[in-house]
Amino acid sequence: MKKLMALLLSAALILSVAAGCGSFTGKSGGTTASQTNSGATQSTSVNIYLENEVPTLNQFAASDNIAFNVLNNISEGLYRLDMNNQPQPAIAKDCKISDDKLTYTFTLRDGLKFSNGDAITSKTFKDTWIKQMAADTPNNYAFIMTDYIVNAQEYSEKKATADQVGIQTPDDKTLVVKLKAPTPYFLSLTTFVPYYAVDMSFFDKQGKNYAVGKDNLVYSGPYIISQYDAAAGVKLVKNPNYWDAANVKVDTVSIKIIKEQSTALNLYKAGQLSRVQLASTDVPAYKGNKEFKTHSIFRTNFIQFNTTAEGTKNLNIRKALSLAIDNDTLMSTILNNGSEAANGVVPKVMSSGVTGKTFGSMQSTLKPYDAAKAKEYWAKGVAELGGKAPQLTLVLDDNTENKDVGTYLQSQFKSVLGIDVKLDSKTKEARRALMKAGTYQMGLNAWGADYDDPMTYLQIWTENKNAFRGNFKNTDAANGYANLITEAKKETDNAKRADLLVQAEKSLITDNAVVAPLYYMGSAYLIKSNVSNLIEANSGILELKYVTVQ
C-alpha cells in the first residue's frame, strides 16, 4: 500500500497506521549501557515495541509500517533519511542529476557487501527493481517505480523487456536511471523500502522459504536479526558488514510486540522500555513530566468504504455515515494524544508543490460534521434501498487505539443516525486479509506518506488491484477521479498540478464518499532521558541508525 509510507520519500517514509500503509505507532524502548571497571562502554541496547505482529519480512510482500520499521533497519537503499528527514547518500556515495532532471547517475561505495559476503553492485539494484515493478509483486508497490522510470510501466504490462527499462549498469559501481518526467522527490523515493537492495541470488535459492526466519534473510543495513518471532518480536544486532558500522552506536535492539498500551506503560515504568506511547487517558497525568514529548507524522486514519458491498454501495448511505462523525470530539475526548482532526486524506502541512503554500491551505472543507445533513442522506439512501436500513459492520484492528475509535464511531452512528453498527475486531493481518478479499462494508484503515507530496496519498485509489481500496473502479466516477490523477502526473506547472490534486481529493471524499477521513496521526509519548536521536520519520518509520544511549 503505497504508503507508504516517506516522506519517506521526501522524508519519507510513513507510521500506522500505515501506509500506505500499515501501522507502527512509534513505540520504542528501554536502554542499557554496560561498562567495564575502567569506565569504557562495552555495549549498549535499546528496547522498543510495535503494536502488531510482523506480517512479513519479504521486501517484495511487505506493505505496511510494521514490516517497514524492521526492514528499514536491516536493509538499505541508495539513499537514507537523515535525522532531519532529508535523503542522504547511503549505499550510493553520490548522485549526479542531468540538467533536464531526467537522468540520475548513482555511484556506489567501494567494497559493499551483504551480511553473507555477497557483493552489492549496481546490478543488485537493477535486478531488485525489475522484480519490484512486476505487476504481480505481492506488495502492490510496482507503481512506486513504474510511475517514474522509463518503460517500467510497459515492462509491468509485459509490453517491454527488462533491458528496455530505463535502468543501466555500465559497471558494478554505476547505476543510471532515466525518468519519464522531472521528479523532485526521486532521491527521497530511493530511501523507501521497495527501493532497497535485495540479494537476488540468495532470494532465488531460498524460494518459498525466503524471509520465513532470520537465517532465510541476508542484510545490507545497520542491523541483522539474531532472533525472530513474528508474534513476539525481533532482536537486532549490529551488522559488521554494514558500510557505516562505525557510526552505529547501539549494539543490540529488542523489538517486542505489545498490543495493549497499558502493558507497554507498565513495562516503561519498570525500566524495560525507554519510549512508550501514551493512551489519551494517560496524557493529563504525564504532561508535566520531563520525559513527556509529542510528535506528528504524515499518516491519516480513515474509514474505507467498500463501494460494492451491500449497504455501502449506496452513495447516500456512505455520505450519511461520513457526515455523522464529529472528528473534533474524537480528537479532544477520545484520543487526546497529539493527533489532529482530519479534513482530507492529505495532511494539511504536506507540501503542495507551490512555493509558500501547504496542501491544506488549498483544500476546501471536505468532510464537515453535519448531523442534520447526515440524517437527510441516510433517509435518501434507505429509500433507494427499498425502505429497509442496511445492517452494517465496521472491521478494525484489535489494538487499544482502534478499539477506542471504533467504540466512538459506533456511538456516533447510534446517536446521529439511530443505527447499531457492529464492531468486528481482528488482528491486523486478519483485518487486512478480510479487506483484500472484499468481504467487508467498512474498515478502519490508515495510510502513511511515502514521500512529501499529495500524490503519495491520492494515487493509491487508482491502483486498485483488490478490494482493499474499496473497489473504487470501473465506474464513471472512478474513471473521472483517475483521469485527474493522470493529468496531475503529466502537468509540469506546479500550480495547475496542485489544483488537479485538490479536485481529486474533493472527488474522493465529498463527491463520492469513498473514504471518511478521521484524524492525522500524532503521538504523545514518554522517552527516557538517556536516549537520544531515536528518530521517527514523518512517515512513521523508526530510524535506529542514529540512536545513542548515555
Side-chain angles (χ1 to χ4, degrees):
M1 298 155 322
K2 297 132 179 169
K3 209 223 299 18
L4 266 229
M5 290 101 201
L7 234 169
L8 204 180
L9 311 169
S10 165
L13 262 136
I14 245 232
L15 182 189
S16 162
V17 239
C21 167
S23 170
F24 170 78
T25 49
K27 322 317 184 187
S28 21
T31 65
T32 61
S34 60
Q35 295 183 321
T36 63
N37 291 335
S38 63
T41 299
Q42 288 183 312
S43 65
T44 56
S45 63
V46 174
N47 299 318
I48 65 177
Y49 74 100
L50 303 173
E51 281 192 342
N52 279 292
E53 55 276 348
V54 180
T56 181
L57 289 179
N58 179 347
Q59 181 172 309
F60 300 116
S63 61
D64 69 280
N65 277 22
I66 294 291
F68 289 164
N69 269 280
V70 180
L71 287 167
N72 179 61
N73 292 292
I74 63 174
S75 303
E76 189 158 82
L78 296 166
Y79 274 56
R80 191 176 194 91
L81 293 179
D82 64 17
M83 289 190 288
N84 295 311
N85 286 307
Q86 298 302 309
Q88 301 295 342
I91 286 180
K93 67 179 181 180
D94 62 38
C95 178
K96 294 181 180 179
I97 305 172
S98 63
D99 291 341
D100 63 5
K101 311 299 182 185
L102 295 178
T103 302
Y104 284 63
T105 302
F106 296 93
T107 301
L108 275 58
R109 298 179 187 276
D110 295 328
L112 294 165
K113 293 181 180 180
F114 286 101
S115 57
N116 65 348
D118 288 352
I120 301 174
T121 68
S122 58
K123 187 175 184 297
T124 303
F125 282 95
K126 179 174 182 176
D127 291 347
T128 301
W129 293 9
I130 290 294
K131 169 69 174 176
Q132 175 59 60
M133 63 182 64
D136 59 354
T137 302
N139 61 14
N140 289 330
Y141 260 112
F143 78 97
I144 208 69
M145 294 179 185
T146 60
D147 281 357
Y148 306 102
I149 300 173
V150 168
N151 282 335
Q153 184 64 43
E154 288 78 4
Y155 172 79
S156 183
E157 296 172 352
K158 299 183 178 180
K159 297 176 182 177
T161 65
D163 288 340
Q164 293 174 310
V165 174
I167 305 173
Q168 300 170 358
T169 57
D171 57 57
D172 284 349
K173 291 181 58 181
T174 306
L175 183 75
V176 181
V177 184
K178 296 185 178 297
L179 304 185
K180 302 176 188 179
T183 305
Y185 49 85
F186 187 71
L187 288 180
S188 290
L189 283 170
T190 69
T191 73
F192 186 32
V193 170
Y195 277 84
Y196 289 1
V198 173
D199 186 342
M200 295 305 297
S201 174
F202 182 86
F203 175 87
D204 291 338
K205 290 176 183 177
Q206 290 292 308
K208 292 182 179 179
N209 290 326
Y210 182 74
V212 299
K214 67 181 182 64
D215 296 325
N216 306 104
L217 281 165
V218 293
Y219 309 92
S220 59
Y223 290 93
I224 63 176
I225 296 176
S226 64
Q227 297 177 25
Y228 176 44
D229 184 324
V234 182
K235 185 173 182 179
L236 308 178
V237 297
K238 281 181 63 173
N239 178 4
N241 281 346
Y242 181 54
W243 68 270
D244 200 25
N247 288 314
V248 179
K249 303 303 182 183
V250 170
D251 299 293
T252 63
V253 178
S254 175
I255 305 175
K256 303 176 186 296
I257 306 302
I258 305 174
K259 294 185 176 182
E260 297 297 329
Q261 288 176 318
S262 58
T263 300
L265 181 58
N266 286 335
L267 290 172
Y268 177 86
K269 291 190 289 187
Q272 296 182 42
L273 292 174
S274 69
R275 186 176 188 268
V276 63
Q277 194 87 2
L278 291 174
S280 58
T281 52
D282 294 320
V283 169
Y286 288 96
K287 271 191 172 179
N289 193 303
K290 66 179 182 179
E291 297 176 348
F292 179 85
K293 308 287 183 182
T294 59
H295 176 63
S296 61
I297 61 174
F298 285 174
R299 184 175 185 83
T300 306
N301 289 57
F302 52 86
I303 295 175
Q304 175 65 65
F305 295 111
N306 186 347
T307 62
T308 61
E310 288 301 315
T312 53
K313 67 182 178 182
N314 183 280
L315 176 58
N316 285 319
I317 292 295
R318 299 198 304 270
K319 286 184 175 182
L321 293 165
S322 182
L323 294 177
I325 304 166
D326 183 351
N327 290 355
D328 289 328
T329 299
L330 172 61
M331 292 307 96
S332 61
T333 65
I334 305 301
L335 293 178
N336 189 31
N337 63 357
S339 297
E340 183 179 358
N343 176 52
V345 292
V346 179
K348 294 192 303 183
V349 296
M350 179 164 270
S351 171
S352 68
V354 179
T355 303
K357 288 187 177 182
T358 64
F359 194 75
S361 70
M362 306 178 73
Q363 290 172 324
S364 59
T365 300
L366 300 175
K367 199 205 78 64
Y369 168 52
D370 191 331
K373 199 69 174 177
K375 292 175 183 177
E376 184 179 321
Y377 279 125
W378 183 259
K380 288 181 180 179
V382 170
E384 290 167 352
L385 295 175
K388 184 178 180 180
Q391 297 295 310
L392 299 173
T393 299
L394 174 68
V395 63
L396 64 154
D397 292 351
D398 60 354
N399 59 47
T400 302
E401 182 171 304
N402 278 273
K403 288 178 180 179
D404 288 346
V405 172
T407 300
Y408 171 76
L409 294 173
Q410 187 181 52
S411 68
Q412 279 288 108
F413 295 142
K414 179 67 173 179
S415 63
V416 175
L417 302 176
I419 60 174
D420 294 309
V421 172
K422 178 183 176 182
L423 301 183
D424 185 8
S425 176
K426 296 182 177 298
T427 64
K428 180 182 180 65
E429 276 308 292
R431 190 266 304 170
R432 289 170 59 86
L434 189 73
M435 293 183 68
K436 285 184 176 182
T439 51
Y440 74 103
Q441 294 167 302
M442 303 184 288
L444 279 188
N445 209 351
W447 189 256
D450 295 331
Y451 46 94
D452 188 10
D453 187 90
M455 193 66 79
T456 189
Y457 289 91
L458 297 176
Q459 75 172 5
I460 66 176
W461 282 276
T462 68
E463 298 286 337
N464 205 335
K465 305 299 184 185
N466 52 50
F468 198 73
R469 297 299 168 197
N471 283 315
F472 186 50
K473 57 185 177 180
N474 303 328
T475 65
D476 288 343
N479 291 337
Y481 175 82
N483 287 339
L484 289 168
I485 299 300
T486 299
E487 289 302 310
K489 288 180 179 179
K490 295 188 296 185
E491 181 57 65
T492 57
D493 183 293
N494 286 342
K496 292 179 180 178
R497 176 181 182 272
D499 182 64
L500 288 166
L501 294 176
V502 167
Q503 292 179 51
E505 189 178 40
K506 179 178 180 296
S507 171
L508 185 74
I509 297 167
T510 305
D511 300 340
N512 296 297
V514 178
V515 297
L518 298 175
Y519 56 100
Y520 307 124
M521 181 169 286
S523 61
Y525 60 95
L526 301 176
I527 186 166
K528 298 297 185 183
S529 57
N530 66 327
V531 181
S532 301
N533 301 330
L534 186 55
I535 306 300
E536 184 180 356
N538 290 342
S539 63
I541 302 300
L542 197 66
E543 178 57 73
L544 298 172
K545 176 179 177 177
Y546 311 116
V547 67
T548 61
V549 179
Q550 298 172 349

